[in-house]
Amino acid sequence: MRIATWNVNSIRARADRIEAWLDRSDVDVLAIQETKAKDENFPWELFEFAGYEVAHFGVNQWNGVAIASRVGLKDVERTFPDQPTFGKPGQEPAQEARAIAATCDGVRIWSLYVPNGRGLEDPHMPYKLEWLRVLEGHARQWVQDDPDAQIALVGDWNVAPRDEDVWDIQLFKDGGYTHVSEPERAAFNAFVEDAGYQDVVRPRHPGPGVYTYWDYTQLRFPKKEGMRIDFQLCSPALAARVTDAWIDRDERKGKGASDHAPVVIEID
DNA sequence: ATGTCCCTTGGTAAGGGA
């Protein structure tokens, strides 16, 4: 089985790209982030024509996550239990469309769009950290309850866990940028160190210089100035089945590309 | 060579988010 994760940065603006990519990538499951669409604006027919079932979770023009599968799509779950809410000062906190799960051919797949954080002192940062903390608690419990659990936590994590995961770590540190701070890295690393999940892509494609995201501005892509922030974390039992993994950097090329590349794993 | 891209709205420009 082949599982991909891809922050598409608008499902409607990317419809042709996604259709073409499904045609040539031969993936069985595609976890999508940043659809930027409500259900009523979601291009259901795109997936139907391509032979995929699809489940979507979108409440407004922000965020939005989906899972498309041609190997079954069962027990769809929108948001994880006790998922933190967010609202700007003066606004009512609300659930955001950042997590959707489904079981596809026996694998429990979570399509995740982790909050950005926006700034080290921004209210969005404690939201991001709490969001990851609560999710990690569940993830740890799932594998404690069942050591054979087949779970894939995939998506845009908005964290660069290592210095080599950005093109210029000094720029990030001097500038006080998000994604590389110790609290963010600790929140991410807990999935690996405490819950026992494995990044199954990095060992096959170590850095430096291996990225999944390149900002649209500043010619970041042609200058090879990117960030590794999209990950597939597998439970121990699922990680043992992984036979291959790659980042489809070519999909970032050309006009009309998302700013993220798809990340793909192969399971026996 | 390069001042991005995408979404929304009593819109046709401006603001929000990444």
Side-chain angles (χ1 to χ4, degrees), chain A residues 25-236:
Chain A
S25 64
D26 201 32
V27 294
D28 296 299
V29 179
L30 174 59
I32 300 168
Q33 301 86 39
E34 275 210 272
T35 63
K36 292 186 171 179
K38 306 176 197 178
D39 282 352
E40 63 206 66
N41 294 328
F42 190 86
W44 306 98
E45 64 289 348
L46 186 166
F47 295 92
E48 185 183 334
F49 292 156
Y52 293 78
E53 296 176 80
V54 65
H56 176 244
F57 178 32
V59 297
N60 52 32
Q61 72 268 46
W62 309 121
N63 316 304
V65 284
I67 298 176
S69 171
R70 63 181 187 188
V71 291
L73 189 72
K74 295 193 300 188
D75 301 324
V76 173
E77 193 175 347
R78 292 168 174 84
T79 74
F80 53 82
D82 306 310
Q83 182 177 308
T85 57
F86 183 76
K88 290 199 290 189
Q91 285 184 348
E92 190 72 19
Q95 286 282 1
E96 296 187 311
R98 295 181 176 275
I100 188 171
T103 301
C104 307
D105 195 20
V107 180
R108 188 67 176 163
I109 297 168
W110 281 92
S111 178
L112 305 167
Y113 181 42
V114 176
N116 176 285
R118 296 181 183 167
L120 295 181
E121 304 303 323
D122 193 287
H124 213 252
M125 181 57 70
Y127 169 54
K128 175 183 195 172
L129 298 176
E130 178 69 359
W131 200 95
L132 284 168
R133 189 190 71 77
V134 174
L135 177 60
E136 191 271 336
H138 292 304
R140 184 160 19 120
Q141 193 64 49
W142 294 332
V143 293
Q144 273 179 14
D145 292 346
D146 177 12
D148 294 324
Q150 309 283 311
I151 303 170
L153 308 177
V154 309
D156 177 357
W157 292 75
N158 270 319
V159 178
R162 299 188 185 180
D163 287 356
E164 67 180 28
D165 293 338
V166 298
W167 76 93
D168 183 350
I169 187 61
Q170 208 55 48
L171 174 71
F172 277 68
K173 287 187 170 172
D174 292 347
Y177 291 4
T178 60
H179 292 57
V180 299
S181 73
E182 283 314 309
E184 290 170 274
R185 286 177 169 178
F188 177 88
N189 286 332
F191 287 85
V192 178
E193 293 165 6
D194 299 338
Y197 288 69
Q198 296 177 31
D199 173 356
V200 295
V201 180
R202 190 188 294 275
R204 291 170 174 84
H205 296 279
V210 176
Y211 307 126
T212 65
Y213 161 84
W214 299 260
D215 198 297
Y216 284 125
T217 66
Q218 305 289 123
L219 294 178
R220 293 295 183 213
F221 184 66
K223 285 154 70 176
K224 304 187 189 308
E225 296 176 342
M227 304 169 69
R228 193 203 288 254
I229 55 175
D230 300 88
F231 299 97
Q232 299 214 30
L233 301 190
C234 294
S235 62

